[in-house]
Amino acid sequence: EGQELYDLAADPEEQHNIYRPDHPLVPGFNRLIARRMAEIPEISRDRIEAAFGPDVLSTEPIEARLS
């Protein structure tokens, strides 16, 4: 239950969840997921923004958020 994030190189069996809301990778992953969801016609922009925040579908490159 809840969010999960694993370092698969260090923890390939996913035993240690390293997720925390302020983890530096979380915003980039959220943006990637939101953009993928936006490609699905049945999922409204309002629903995506409610889940990820109002700026999640901005035009900033994902790579800028992941680095």
Side-chain angles (χ1 to χ4, degrees):
E1 294 185 26
Q3 291 89 351
E4 297 179 12
L5 180 64
Y6 298 95
D7 178 347
L8 295 178
D11 181 21
E13 301 206 11
E14 299 179 5
Q15 299 297 307
H16 305 286
N17 183 4
I18 60 172
Y19 174 84
R20 60 180 205 273
D22 64 336
H23 191 286
L25 293 177
V26 168
F29 287 140
N30 284 346
R31 185 169 302 232
L32 184 67
I33 294 166
R35 287 184 181 174
R36 176 59 185 105
M37 290 174 69
E39 296 174 3
I40 302 170
E42 295 82 7
I43 301 176
S44 71
R45 182 181 187 99
D46 289 341
R47 183 174 170 196
I48 295 167
E49 289 180 350
F52 296 101
D55 297 326
V56 73
L57 294 174
S58 72
T59 59
E60 181 180 355
I62 293 171
E63 295 78 18
R65 297 290 221 143
L66 292 177
S67 58

